[in-house]
Amino acid sequence: MEKILVTGGAGFIGSNFIRYMLQEHPYHIINLDALTYCGNLENLRGVEDDPRYTFVRGSITDRKLVDGIIKDVDAVINFAAESHVDRSIEDPEIFIRTNILGTQTLLEASRKHGVERFIQISTDEVYGSAEKGYFTEETPLAPNSPYSASKASADLMVRAYHRTYGLPVNITRCSNNYGPYQFPEKLIPLMITNALENKPLPVYGDGMNVRDWIHVLDHCRAVDLVLHRGRVGEVYNIGGNSERRNIEIVELIVRELGRDESLIRFVEDRPGHDRRYAIDASKIRNELGWKPLYSFEEGIRETIRWYIDNRDWWENIKSGEYLRYYERMYGGR
Ligand code: NAD
Ligand code: DAU
């Protein structure tokens, strides 16, 4: 393998992944990203000058562009997506276009040009809500939001391209990521940056929903292992084994930043809000020898420090398009 296409590399996980891969491997990385509201080339500070890195601005739904890029690459790793559940509830259509049609466009070019490996970055949300027990790779798909339904649809298309055309694929399904460069619409960066600005901290419903948190670099290491050693056609769950209630996280951030708990506001719940996600990652642990290296407590402290030290990065975001979205979502609360 020499050349890898990473899509969505200007987003949160994709940018961490590109930096990680350039450090760990000699590959040339092409980053195809449409630079939507959350795609930000600032996330790749320091990487632009690397001769093994090329940026292409464009959409994964653009057949001609995608075909022209994929004819020269050995592997495709598809991070590009509309990724925010609340936005999918507001307006699902772009989720269908990007997450389903975009994935199919990449699959079609990959099949035509015979790529060595196609990795679909999926999510634990495709399994729905885990009222008890853990999601394994055998858990039936039961997505509850337009976002997760679009990701599950893409997964089924990836599966079909493997079964029908023999495309060498893997699907990874990871739990909630946190870490540097996460867009401040997601729980952890939203709470950190609002607390830093002494703004209200909006907690949905009773705050007792549970997510299974993983540091983004542990996710990146897992994807690297699947790319090199994953068995063709297999799905791999990835999870940090760090279940926390939302309210616990918000209280921890308030404490760490020395703010007052009166900033916390319980607001109207998210429609169709999944109660709990919980990943059983024993397949990737046993087959590929992966395990998370970060403890949640260590990772969250490091992440809080990153947002304190990189105020310019998130202040730029919060003063742009995101401000209009935030006012629509939380205006008056
Ligand atoms: P993100 O929203 O931060 O980044 C998504 C990136 O995709 C952005 O750079 C955006 O510009 C780009 N993009 C969007 N539409 C595009 C298009 N049509 N063509 C090309 N690029 C496009 O998302 P993230 O949190 O980094 O998530 C990355 C992937 O990982 C997604 O597929 C998501 O479903 C999956 N995932 C995320 C998490 C998480 O906790 N964040 C967990 C599991 C899986
Ligand atoms: O599980 C993996 C998924 O994690 C990824 O596939 C998604 O791309 C990613 O966005 C994330 O989805 P969630 O919906 O779990 O993440 P979010 O950060 O939006 O919310 C986490 C929890 O916090 C959820 O229970 C809703 C709650 N929440 C969120 C926001 C933004 C709040 O209570 N208040 C908020 O303001």
Side-chain angles (χ1 to χ4, degrees):
M1 224 164 14
E2 285 175 18
K3 255 193 193 174
I4 298 179
L5 170 63
V6 173
T7 69
F12 162 48
I13 308 176
S15 61
N16 277 285
F17 183 74
I18 288 177
R19 195 172 280 109
Y20 165 90
M21 288 297 278
L22 288 170
Q23 258 163 34
E24 296 295 315
H25 298 288
Y27 306 137
H28 189 114
I29 306 257
I30 299 172
N31 173 14
L32 172 63
D33 196 298
L35 299 184
T36 65
Y37 74 94
C38 63
N40 184 352
L41 291 178
E42 283 287 298
N43 298 359
L44 290 154
R45 271 180 295 201
V47 169
E48 311 93 323
D49 302 332
D50 192 316
R52 292 184 292 119
Y53 169 76
T54 306
F55 174 67
V56 179
R57 182 173 189 179
S59 174
I60 58 168
T61 58
D62 182 336
R63 283 183 196 285
K64 214 166 147 209
L65 176 68
V66 162
D67 193 77
I69 296 172
I70 290 188
K71 74 177 180 3
D72 293 325
V73 305
D74 305 302
V76 176
I77 308 181
N78 182 27
F79 289 92
E82 289 294 333
S83 68
H84 193 40
V85 173
D86 294 325
R87 287 181 192 255
S88 83
I89 295 167
E90 264 208 329
D91 187 3
E93 194 183 325
I94 186 69
F95 286 74
I96 310 308
R97 260 190 275 133
T98 298
N99 299 359
I100 307 176
L101 287 176
T103 302
Q104 191 267 336
T105 305
L106 294 169
L107 286 165
E108 190 55 27
S110 300
R111 153 174 109 90
K112 181 170 158 198
H113 296 294
V115 300
E116 281 175 39
R117 198 60 72 106
F118 184 102
I119 312 272
Q120 174 69 1
I121 306 299
S122 184
T123 167
D124 60 358
E125 295 199 16
V126 298
Y127 298 121
S129 190
E131 300 310 323
K132 54 181 179 354
Y134 295 88
F135 299 135
T136 73
E137 290 80 358
E138 310 307 321
T139 302
L141 303 188
N144 291 317
S145 71
Y147 161 70
S148 54
S150 70
K151 293 294 288 188
S153 307
D155 285 11
L156 294 179
M157 198 54 78
V158 173
R159 175 189 157 94
Y161 267 73
H162 173 60
R163 293 294 180 106
T164 306
Y165 305 114
L167 187 70
V169 306
N170 290 107
I171 297 171
T172 60
R173 297 192 179 129
C174 189
S175 62
N176 284 62
N177 285 222
Y178 68 93
Y181 301 106
Q182 186 167 29
F183 195 86
E185 66 188 350
K186 306 284 164 56
L187 180 76
I188 288 181
L190 178 69
M191 296 300 158
I192 298 173
T193 57
N194 275 15
L196 285 169
E197 295 184 301
N198 284 309
K199 282 190 181 156
L201 308 176
V203 175
Y204 297 163
D206 61 6
M208 301 297 270
N209 300 61
V210 171
R211 297 293 183 264
D212 179 359
W213 295 94
I214 182 171
H215 193 278
V216 63
L217 290 178
D218 281 329
H219 184 189
C220 292
R221 283 190 309 102
V223 173
D224 180 13
L225 276 175
V226 172
L227 174 68
H228 291 100
R229 303 204 353 242
R231 280 187 296 132
V232 166
E234 294 295 311
V235 175
Y236 291 94
N237 282 352
I238 305 166
N241 206 16
S242 294
E243 286 183 54
R244 297 287 185 282
R245 295 190 182 94
N246 293 338
I247 188 68
E248 286 177 60
I249 295 195
V250 178
E251 285 170 354
L252 186 154
I253 290 169
V254 167
R255 257 195 326 276
E256 285 291 317
L257 289 174
R259 296 303 196 266
D260 197 282
E261 290 206 355
S262 61
L263 284 179
I264 299 174
R265 302 273 194 289
F266 289 92
V267 300
E268 196 182 326
D269 208 354
R270 173 186 278 175
H273 196 176
D274 287 330
R275 195 66 173 162
R276 171 172 171 258
Y277 301 142
I279 278 279
D280 176 344
S282 40
K283 180 172 174 181
I284 191 168
R285 283 174 182 257
N286 297 337
E287 270 189 27
L288 307 184
W290 174 87
K291 64 172 193 258
L293 298 181
Y294 276 88
S295 76
F296 183 71
E297 278 60 36
E298 171 201 0
I300 190 86
R301 285 202 179 94
E302 199 184 288
T303 301
I304 292 172
R305 173 51 47 203
W306 189 87
Y307 282 88
I308 293 172
D309 292 343
N310 289 274
R311 203 172 174 118
D312 285 356
W313 179 85
W314 57 263
E315 278 185 346
N316 280 343
I317 292 170
K318 283 188 139 184
S319 57
E321 186 274 345
Y322 173 63
L323 187 61
R324 290 191 294 282
Y325 165 80
Y326 188 81
E327 278 163 1
R328 264 200 329 274
M329 283 290 292
Y330 301 111
R333 285 178 187 163

